mmCIF file of all heavy atoms in Angstrom:
data_model
loop_
_atom_site.group_PDB
_atom_site.id
_atom_site.type_symbol
_atom_site.label_atom_id
_atom_site.label_comp_id
_atom_site.label_asym_id
_atom_site.label_seq_id
_atom_site.Cartn_x
_atom_site.Cartn_y
_atom_site.Cartn_z
ATOM 1 N N GLY A 1 1.867 5.385 9.721
ATOM 2 C CA GLY A 1 0.910 4.615 10.502
ATOM 3 C C GLY A 1 0.272 3.474 9.734
ATOM 4 O O GLY A 1 -0.716 2.907 10.180
ATOM 5 N N LEU A 2 0.827 3.106 8.586
ATOM 6 C CA LEU A 2 0.255 2.015 7.809
ATOM 7 C C LEU A 2 0.531 0.671 8.465
ATOM 8 O O LEU A 2 1.548 0.497 9.129
ATOM 9 C CB LEU A 2 0.858 1.983 6.397
ATOM 10 C CG LEU A 2 0.586 3.175 5.494
ATOM 11 C CD1 LEU A 2 1.311 2.997 4.165
ATOM 12 C CD2 LEU A 2 -0.896 3.348 5.270
ATOM 13 N N ARG A 3 -0.367 -0.263 8.238
ATOM 14 C CA ARG A 3 -0.099 -1.643 8.599
ATOM 15 C C ARG A 3 0.985 -2.151 7.648
ATOM 16 O O ARG A 3 1.059 -1.719 6.505
ATOM 17 C CB ARG A 3 -1.353 -2.484 8.448
ATOM 18 C CG ARG A 3 -2.467 -2.093 9.406
ATOM 19 C CD ARG A 3 -3.759 -2.867 9.101
ATOM 20 N NE ARG A 3 -4.818 -2.482 10.000
ATOM 21 C CZ ARG A 3 -5.738 -1.535 9.742
ATOM 22 N NH1 ARG A 3 -5.717 -0.904 8.582
ATOM 23 N NH2 ARG A 3 -6.663 -1.237 10.626
ATOM 24 N N ARG A 4 1.788 -3.093 8.099
ATOM 25 C CA ARG A 4 2.878 -3.620 7.263
ATOM 26 C C ARG A 4 2.337 -4.125 5.932
ATOM 27 O O ARG A 4 2.887 -3.826 4.874
ATOM 28 C CB ARG A 4 3.606 -4.732 8.014
ATOM 29 C CG ARG A 4 4.717 -5.396 7.226
ATOM 30 C CD ARG A 4 5.369 -6.509 7.988
ATOM 31 N NE ARG A 4 4.465 -7.638 8.095
ATOM 32 C CZ ARG A 4 4.801 -8.815 8.598
ATOM 33 N NH1 ARG A 4 6.012 -9.004 9.090
ATOM 34 N NH2 ARG A 4 3.945 -9.797 8.650
ATOM 35 N N GLU A 5 1.246 -4.878 5.969
ATOM 36 C CA GLU A 5 0.698 -5.456 4.742
ATOM 37 C C GLU A 5 0.133 -4.383 3.804
ATOM 38 O O GLU A 5 0.121 -4.557 2.586
ATOM 39 C CB GLU A 5 -0.346 -6.529 5.046
ATOM 40 C CG GLU A 5 -1.558 -6.064 5.813
ATOM 41 C CD GLU A 5 -1.429 -6.162 7.339
ATOM 42 O OE1 GLU A 5 -0.300 -6.289 7.860
ATOM 43 O OE2 GLU A 5 -2.469 -6.081 8.006
ATOM 44 N N GLU A 6 -0.321 -3.258 4.366
ATOM 45 C CA GLU A 6 -0.802 -2.153 3.526
ATOM 46 C C GLU A 6 0.369 -1.490 2.813
ATOM 47 O O GLU A 6 0.288 -1.181 1.624
ATOM 48 C CB GLU A 6 -1.533 -1.108 4.383
ATOM 49 C CG GLU A 6 -2.847 -1.575 4.943
ATOM 50 C CD GLU A 6 -3.435 -0.600 5.948
ATOM 51 O OE1 GLU A 6 -2.731 0.292 6.466
ATOM 52 O OE2 GLU A 6 -4.641 -0.740 6.222
ATOM 53 N N ALA A 7 1.467 -1.270 3.541
ATOM 54 C CA ALA A 7 2.649 -0.650 2.935
ATOM 55 C C ALA A 7 3.176 -1.510 1.786
ATOM 56 O O ALA A 7 3.522 -0.999 0.719
ATOM 57 C CB ALA A 7 3.739 -0.435 3.990
ATOM 58 N N LEU A 8 3.218 -2.815 2.000
ATOM 59 C CA LEU A 8 3.726 -3.720 0.959
ATOM 60 C C LEU A 8 2.814 -3.760 -0.267
ATOM 61 O O LEU A 8 3.261 -4.099 -1.354
ATOM 62 C CB LEU A 8 3.919 -5.123 1.529
ATOM 63 C CG LEU A 8 5.076 -5.256 2.506
ATOM 64 C CD1 LEU A 8 5.038 -6.602 3.210
ATOM 65 C CD2 LEU A 8 6.403 -5.044 1.810
ATOM 66 N N GLY A 9 1.547 -3.415 -0.101
ATOM 67 C CA GLY A 9 0.598 -3.427 -1.211
ATOM 68 C C GLY A 9 0.576 -2.151 -2.034
ATOM 69 O O GLY A 9 -0.173 -2.046 -3.009
ATOM 70 N N ILE A 10 1.402 -1.165 -1.702
ATOM 71 C CA ILE A 10 1.399 0.118 -2.414
ATOM 72 C C ILE A 10 2.054 -0.025 -3.782
ATOM 73 O O ILE A 10 3.140 -0.579 -3.914
ATOM 74 C CB ILE A 10 2.158 1.195 -1.603
ATOM 75 C CG1 ILE A 10 1.464 1.450 -0.275
ATOM 76 C CG2 ILE A 10 2.270 2.493 -2.416
ATOM 77 C CD1 ILE A 10 2.307 2.290 0.668
ATOM 78 N N LYS A 11 1.369 0.507 -4.780
ATOM 79 C CA LYS A 11 1.932 0.604 -6.127
ATOM 80 C C LYS A 11 2.234 2.080 -6.393
ATOM 81 O O LYS A 11 1.643 2.969 -5.774
ATOM 82 C CB LYS A 11 0.945 0.083 -7.175
ATOM 83 C CG LYS A 11 0.708 -1.406 -7.088
ATOM 84 C CD LYS A 11 -0.194 -1.868 -8.220
ATOM 85 C CE LYS A 11 -0.355 -3.381 -8.198
ATOM 86 N NZ LYS A 11 -1.104 -3.861 -9.367
ATOM 87 N N TYR A 12 3.141 2.327 -7.328
ATOM 88 C CA TYR A 12 3.494 3.724 -7.634
ATOM 89 C C TYR A 12 2.280 4.525 -8.091
ATOM 90 O O TYR A 12 2.178 5.718 -7.825
ATOM 91 C CB TYR A 12 4.613 3.775 -8.677
ATOM 92 C CG TYR A 12 5.958 3.459 -8.091
ATOM 93 C CD1 TYR A 12 6.545 2.209 -8.272
ATOM 94 C CD2 TYR A 12 6.640 4.393 -7.317
ATOM 95 C CE1 TYR A 12 7.780 1.904 -7.704
ATOM 96 C CE2 TYR A 12 7.872 4.096 -6.743
ATOM 97 C CZ TYR A 12 8.430 2.853 -6.949
ATOM 98 O OH TYR A 12 9.645 2.553 -6.378
ATOM 99 N N GLY A 13 1.330 3.870 -8.739
ATOM 100 C CA GLY A 13 0.113 4.548 -9.179
ATOM 101 C C GLY A 13 -0.790 4.979 -8.038
ATOM 102 O O GLY A 13 -1.699 5.783 -8.228
ATOM 103 N N ASP A 14 -0.539 4.467 -6.827
ATOM 104 C CA ASP A 14 -1.325 4.853 -5.652
ATOM 105 C C ASP A 14 -0.861 6.184 -5.069
ATOM 106 O O ASP A 14 -1.520 6.739 -4.192
ATOM 107 C CB ASP A 14 -1.215 3.776 -4.562
ATOM 108 C CG ASP A 14 -1.767 2.434 -5.004
ATOM 109 O OD1 ASP A 14 -2.708 2.417 -5.823
ATOM 110 O OD2 ASP A 14 -1.259 1.407 -4.517
ATOM 111 N N ILE A 15 0.267 6.679 -5.553
ATOM 112 C CA ILE A 15 0.837 7.927 -5.047
ATOM 113 C C ILE A 15 0.357 9.072 -5.931
ATOM 114 O O ILE A 15 0.580 9.075 -7.134
ATOM 115 C CB ILE A 15 2.381 7.869 -5.049
ATOM 116 C CG1 ILE A 15 2.862 6.683 -4.200
ATOM 117 C CG2 ILE A 15 2.971 9.182 -4.560
ATOM 118 C CD1 ILE A 15 4.325 6.351 -4.391
ATOM 119 N N ASN A 16 -0.325 10.032 -5.330
ATOM 120 C CA ASN A 16 -0.823 11.193 -6.063
ATOM 121 C C ASN A 16 0.135 12.361 -5.824
ATOM 122 O O ASN A 16 0.148 12.945 -4.736
ATOM 123 C CB ASN A 16 -2.242 11.543 -5.609
ATOM 124 C CG ASN A 16 -2.862 12.648 -6.433
ATOM 125 O OD1 ASN A 16 -2.214 13.641 -6.755
ATOM 126 N ND2 ASN A 16 -4.128 12.482 -6.761
ATOM 127 N N LYS A 17 0.941 12.673 -6.837
ATOM 128 C CA LYS A 17 1.962 13.718 -6.699
ATOM 129 C C LYS A 17 1.358 15.102 -6.481
ATOM 130 O O LYS A 17 1.886 15.892 -5.709
ATOM 131 C CB LYS A 17 2.844 13.747 -7.942
ATOM 132 C CG LYS A 17 3.687 12.518 -8.126
ATOM 133 C CD LYS A 17 4.474 12.604 -9.406
ATOM 134 C CE LYS A 17 5.185 11.304 -9.695
ATOM 135 N NZ LYS A 17 5.941 11.356 -10.936
ATOM 136 N N MET A 18 0.261 15.373 -7.160
ATOM 137 C CA MET A 18 -0.345 16.708 -7.057
ATOM 138 C C MET A 18 -0.922 16.950 -5.656
ATOM 139 O O MET A 18 -0.736 18.007 -5.087
ATOM 140 C CB MET A 18 -1.445 16.873 -8.108
ATOM 141 C CG MET A 18 -0.937 16.786 -9.539
ATOM 142 S SD MET A 18 0.209 18.105 -9.961
ATOM 143 C CE MET A 18 -0.887 19.494 -9.955
ATOM 144 N N ARG A 19 -1.612 15.956 -5.142
ATOM 145 C CA ARG A 19 -2.262 16.106 -3.835
ATOM 146 C C ARG A 19 -1.354 15.699 -2.679
ATOM 147 O O ARG A 19 -1.684 15.941 -1.521
ATOM 148 C CB ARG A 19 -3.539 15.268 -3.792
ATOM 149 C CG ARG A 19 -4.616 15.774 -4.724
ATOM 150 C CD ARG A 19 -5.783 14.799 -4.886
ATOM 151 N NE ARG A 19 -6.314 14.234 -3.664
ATOM 152 C CZ ARG A 19 -7.341 14.727 -2.969
ATOM 153 N NH1 ARG A 19 -7.947 15.810 -3.410
ATOM 154 N NH2 ARG A 19 -7.771 14.136 -1.877
ATOM 155 N N LYS A 20 -0.222 15.043 -3.024
ATOM 156 C CA LYS A 20 0.700 14.490 -2.023
ATOM 157 C C LYS A 20 -0.055 13.560 -1.062
ATOM 158 O O LYS A 20 -0.003 13.702 0.159
ATOM 159 C CB LYS A 20 1.454 15.587 -1.285
ATOM 160 C CG LYS A 20 2.434 16.292 -2.194
ATOM 161 C CD LYS A 20 3.516 16.992 -1.442
ATOM 162 C CE LYS A 20 4.501 17.555 -2.466
ATOM 163 N NZ LYS A 20 5.610 18.223 -1.873
ATOM 164 N N THR A 21 -0.763 12.608 -1.703
ATOM 165 C CA THR A 21 -1.520 11.627 -0.936
ATOM 166 C C THR A 21 -1.180 10.222 -1.414
ATOM 167 O O THR A 21 -0.565 10.034 -2.467
ATOM 168 C CB THR A 21 -3.040 11.841 -1.085
ATOM 169 O OG1 THR A 21 -3.399 11.720 -2.468
ATOM 170 C CG2 THR A 21 -3.473 13.191 -0.529
ATOM 171 N N LEU A 22 -1.614 9.280 -0.637
ATOM 172 C CA LEU A 22 -1.398 7.870 -0.923
ATOM 173 C C LEU A 22 -2.733 7.150 -0.768
ATOM 174 O O LEU A 22 -3.401 7.304 0.251
ATOM 175 C CB LEU A 22 -0.380 7.305 0.069
ATOM 176 C CG LEU A 22 -0.052 5.835 -0.001
ATOM 177 C CD1 LEU A 22 0.601 5.495 -1.339
ATOM 178 C CD2 LEU A 22 0.867 5.458 1.149
ATOM 179 N N SER A 23 -3.126 6.387 -1.779
ATOM 180 C CA SER A 23 -4.350 5.595 -1.713
ATOM 181 C C SER A 23 -4.002 4.191 -1.232
ATOM 182 O O SER A 23 -3.114 3.553 -1.789
ATOM 183 C CB SER A 23 -5.023 5.517 -3.082
ATOM 184 O OG SER A 23 -5.490 6.784 -3.463
ATOM 185 N N ILE A 24 -4.698 3.747 -0.225
ATOM 186 C CA ILE A 24 -4.509 2.405 0.324
ATOM 187 C C ILE A 24 -5.694 1.574 -0.161
ATOM 188 O O ILE A 24 -6.838 1.861 0.188
ATOM 189 C CB ILE A 24 -4.492 2.416 1.873
ATOM 190 C CG1 ILE A 24 -3.553 3.485 2.419
ATOM 191 C CG2 ILE A 24 -4.176 1.035 2.420
ATOM 192 C CD1 ILE A 24 -2.135 3.363 1.971
ATOM 193 N N SER A 25 -5.416 0.566 -0.986
ATOM 194 C CA SER A 25 -6.524 -0.211 -1.553
ATOM 195 C C SER A 25 -6.265 -1.716 -1.571
ATOM 196 O O SER A 25 -7.125 -2.478 -1.988
ATOM 197 C CB SER A 25 -6.814 0.268 -2.977
ATOM 198 O OG SER A 25 -5.665 0.113 -3.787
ATOM 199 N N ARG A 26 -5.091 -2.147 -1.122
ATOM 200 C CA ARG A 26 -4.781 -3.579 -1.138
ATOM 201 C C ARG A 26 -3.753 -3.882 -0.060
ATOM 202 O O ARG A 26 -3.120 -2.977 0.481
ATOM 203 C CB ARG A 26 -4.286 -4.023 -2.514
ATOM 204 C CG ARG A 26 -2.887 -3.566 -2.876
ATOM 205 C CD ARG A 26 -2.528 -3.807 -4.335
ATOM 206 N NE ARG A 26 -3.217 -2.945 -5.258
ATOM 207 C CZ ARG A 26 -2.947 -1.646 -5.430
ATOM 208 N NH1 ARG A 26 -2.002 -1.061 -4.737
ATOM 209 N NH2 ARG A 26 -3.614 -0.927 -6.295
ATOM 210 N N ALA A 27 -3.600 -5.156 0.209
ATOM 211 C CA ALA A 27 -2.623 -5.615 1.196
ATOM 212 C C ALA A 27 -1.868 -6.796 0.612
ATOM 213 O O ALA A 27 -2.390 -7.535 -0.220
ATOM 214 C CB ALA A 27 -3.326 -6.019 2.484
ATOM 215 N N PHE A 28 -0.635 -6.962 1.044
ATOM 216 C CA PHE A 28 0.203 -8.056 0.576
ATOM 217 C C PHE A 28 0.628 -8.878 1.783
ATOM 218 O O PHE A 28 1.230 -8.351 2.713
ATOM 219 C CB PHE A 28 1.426 -7.498 -0.157
ATOM 220 C CG PHE A 28 2.397 -8.556 -0.582
ATOM 221 C CD1 PHE A 28 2.071 -9.473 -1.553
ATOM 222 C CD2 PHE A 28 3.645 -8.630 0.011
ATOM 223 C CE1 PHE A 28 2.975 -10.458 -1.943
ATOM 224 C CE2 PHE A 28 4.565 -9.602 -0.370
ATOM 225 C CZ PHE A 28 4.219 -10.520 -1.348
ATOM 226 N N ILE A 29 0.276 -10.150 1.762
ATOM 227 C CA ILE A 29 0.587 -11.022 2.893
ATOM 228 C C ILE A 29 1.243 -12.310 2.405
ATOM 229 O O ILE A 29 1.241 -12.599 1.212
ATOM 230 C CB ILE A 29 -0.680 -11.382 3.706
ATOM 231 C CG1 ILE A 29 -1.680 -12.152 2.828
ATOM 232 C CG2 ILE A 29 -1.298 -10.151 4.323
ATOM 233 C CD1 ILE A 29 -2.792 -12.813 3.596
ATOM 234 N N GLN A 30 1.771 -13.059 3.342
ATOM 235 C CA GLN A 30 2.291 -14.387 3.049
ATOM 236 C C GLN A 30 1.447 -15.371 3.840
ATOM 237 O O GLN A 30 1.298 -15.243 5.055
ATOM 238 C CB GLN A 30 3.764 -14.491 3.444
ATOM 239 C CG GLN A 30 4.382 -15.784 3.017
ATOM 240 C CD GLN A 30 5.901 -15.722 3.048
ATOM 241 O OE1 GLN A 30 6.485 -14.667 2.860
ATOM 242 N NE2 GLN A 30 6.530 -16.844 3.291
ATOM 243 N N SER A 31 0.885 -16.353 3.159
ATOM 244 C CA SER A 31 0.022 -17.344 3.793
ATOM 245 C C SER A 31 0.798 -18.127 4.843
ATOM 246 O O SER A 31 1.914 -18.594 4.592
ATOM 247 C CB SER A 31 -0.536 -18.303 2.746
ATOM 248 O OG SER A 31 -1.176 -19.390 3.382
ATOM 249 N N GLN A 32 0.207 -18.269 6.004
ATOM 250 C CA GLN A 32 0.841 -19.063 7.063
ATOM 251 C C GLN A 32 0.663 -20.551 6.803
ATOM 252 O O GLN A 32 1.369 -21.367 7.376
ATOM 253 C CB GLN A 32 0.270 -18.673 8.418
ATOM 254 C CG GLN A 32 0.647 -17.267 8.828
ATOM 255 C CD GLN A 32 0.116 -16.889 10.191
ATOM 256 O OE1 GLN A 32 -0.727 -17.555 10.758
ATOM 257 N NE2 GLN A 32 0.616 -15.785 10.720
ATOM 258 N N LEU A 33 -0.276 -20.907 5.917
ATOM 259 C CA LEU A 33 -0.522 -22.322 5.623
ATOM 260 C C LEU A 33 0.503 -22.899 4.654
ATOM 261 O O LEU A 33 1.100 -23.935 4.913
ATOM 262 C CB LEU A 33 -1.932 -22.500 5.048
ATOM 263 C CG LEU A 33 -3.078 -22.151 5.984
ATOM 264 C CD1 LEU A 33 -4.412 -22.254 5.250
ATOM 265 C CD2 LEU A 33 -3.071 -23.069 7.200
#
């Protein structure tokens, strides 16, 4: 259910193996300008 820009902003360090969770803290976009 992530937004596209949230998924693209995921780094491997955002993945918590022990808890099996993902931290969403940034987004990656391309400027339309």
Side-chain angles (χ1 to χ4, degrees):
L2 296 178
R3 295 174 181 94
R4 178 182 71 173
E5 61 270 17
E6 291 171 344
L8 289 170
I10 297 169
K11 292 184 176 186
Y12 283 102
D14 298 329
I15 302 167
N16 186 317
K17 293 177 187 179
M18 297 296 291
R19 293 169 47 93
K20 291 201 175 182
T21 60
L22 177 63
S23 293
I24 311 302
S25 59
R26 73 190 71 73
F28 176 68
I29 62 167
Q30 187 164 331
S31 170
Q32 292 182 347
L33 296 175

